[in-house]
Amino acid sequence: DVWRVAASAGISASFAGAEFPANAQGPTSEEPLVVLDVETFAGLEYRRRAYAEEAIRAILSVPLAVRGRTGGGVTFYYRESQPNPIDVMIAQALGHLAAAAISSAELYAEQEALQRATVRSASRARFLAELSERLSSLDDARNLETLATLTVPTLADWCIVHLLDDSGTLRPLAVVNADPEKIAMAREYGARYPMRRDHPSGAYQVVRTGQPVLIEHIDEQRLMAAAQNDEHLALLRDSGVHSLMLVPLTAGESVFGVMAFAMAQPGRGYDRDDLAFAQDLARRASLGVENARLYRQAQ
């Protein structure tokens, strides 16, 4: 939407920090832009005051065409002289070098992302295979506990399964973490500070709507909104949870529980792909629960 300076030298911070519309004069064509006099060149009226304050007399700008698209440029400003044909040739060469460097960096980043995606897909395929083997029991509670246990640490640092009781209250069935002491503390403080039914993005919202909740980053504002008092806020901070997914467990059109997945380790967070995977797990778990219930009814 706007042109923005990514790197600069020799100009003031205020000039470098200015933004202007993308449809304004800029290096959008394949040819260099040569402005011998900024005062008379048509199309630069919106920047003339800034040029005057910076004592800029002339401009030479070359496009950065990265992998067939132009999304930037390298601009040289002249205060005492004007660009000559040699300057234009040198600027174009520098622009080509810069574009090639950016292209190489993008390709490298894409290759790394593809490798990470491949590793994650393989890991999740193994996870689903193990889950299929372990969810053979017709005990629905055991199935949910098994699923929660398997998700740590592959998908989460914390996994908590809540089920609705007859009063419509969510009760924890399984609380899983790699540290047993943390599990005991979580159960203790969960009983002291039960989940708020009116929270706009909490587990009860999932129950009401049947829709999952993804919080990619839990900031201080969210912690304060969730805390019931100062002690609760301190506990939430100490937990280190910074990314969260809540997905419904459903039987037909009804929600009978919620699975919570949380990340507490730095550098790990959830995205839309993770949410889709968590929803798939919840559907599998829900099907297992429904099969177990139907089996008991048949018996």
Side-chain angles (χ1 to χ4, degrees):
D1 297 327
V2 297
W3 286 104
R4 180 180 294 112
V5 174
S8 64
I11 57 177
S12 66
S14 60
F15 186 83
E19 297 178 354
F20 44 97
N23 60 0
Q25 184 69 49
T28 55
S29 68
E30 296 181 359
E31 298 301 321
L33 173 67
V34 180
V35 179
L36 299 180
D37 187 348
V38 296
E39 290 294 325
T40 60
F41 193 87
L44 295 180
E45 292 81 5
Y46 68 101
R47 291 283 279 169
R48 278 181 184 153
R49 181 175 178 179
Y51 293 145
E53 292 175 353
E54 203 71 16
I56 291 173
R57 176 185 175 188
I59 299 172
L60 167 57
S61 185
V62 295
L64 283 176
V66 180
R67 298 162 68 183
R69 69 184 188 278
T70 300
V74 181
T75 302
F76 302 88
Y77 297 104
Y78 296 77
R79 291 190 174 98
E80 302 296 334
S81 60
Q82 294 176 322
N84 58 50
I86 299 299
D87 292 336
V88 175
M89 293 175 60
I90 294 174
Q92 286 181 295
L94 291 174
H96 291 320
L97 287 172
I102 294 172
S103 178
S104 297
E106 287 185 353
L107 288 170
Y108 181 76
E110 289 174 3
Q111 184 181 18
E112 282 197 322
L114 182 60
Q115 289 176 343
R116 288 194 299 270
T118 301
V119 170
R120 183 165 65 172
S121 296
S123 174
R124 289 181 174 179
R126 290 193 298 270
F127 177 87
L128 291 176
E130 182 178 1
L131 180 63
S132 299
E133 293 179 2
R134 299 280 293 275
L135 294 186
S136 58
S137 170
L138 289 176
D139 184 334
D140 49 352
R142 182 181 299 174
N143 276 342
L144 290 172
E145 291 172 348
T146 298
L147 172 58
T149 301
L150 289 176
T151 62
V152 177
T154 303
L155 185 63
D157 298 316
W158 284 93
C159 183
I160 303 177
V161 178
H162 293 92
L163 298 183
L164 285 170
D165 63 14
D166 293 336
S167 68
T169 301
L170 286 169
R171 305 288 185 186
L173 169 70
V175 180
V176 182
N177 185 277
D179 187 342
E181 292 185 4
K182 289 184 178 180
I183 295 175
M185 290 179 60
R187 288 189 176 276
E188 176 187 347
Y189 290 117
R192 187 184 303 180
Y193 300 108
M195 292 180 294
R196 289 167 38 197
R197 292 176 181 262
D198 63 343
H199 196 283
S201 58
Y204 281 102
Q205 176 70 5
V206 176
V207 172
R208 288 190 294 270
T209 65
Q211 298 299 313
V213 170
L214 169 63
I215 304 177
E216 297 183 23
H217 175 66
I218 301 175
D219 55 20
E220 182 68 13
Q221 185 176 359
R222 285 187 179 274
L223 290 179
M224 294 178 68
Q228 300 178 27
N229 55 35
D230 290 342
E231 181 190 43
H232 192 205
L233 178 59
L235 291 171
L236 293 175
R237 287 170 176 161
D238 290 342
S239 72
V241 171
H242 58 81
S243 193
L244 178 67
M245 295 188 295
L246 302 170
V247 295
L249 295 167
T250 58
E253 299 297 324
S254 301
V255 177
F256 66 84
V258 176
M259 291 193 71
F261 303 89
M263 285 292 192
Q265 294 183 22
R268 298 181 69 188
Y270 293 123
D271 56 23
R272 289 289 172 184
D273 288 341
D274 295 314
L275 181 63
F277 184 68
Q279 288 179 276
D280 184 41
L281 292 181
R283 282 192 291 268
R284 291 168 185 260
S286 298
L287 181 60
V289 169
E290 186 67 8
N291 287 341
R293 288 179 178 178
L294 290 173
Y295 176 79
R296 286 197 300 272
Q297 291 174 10
Q299 289 296 94

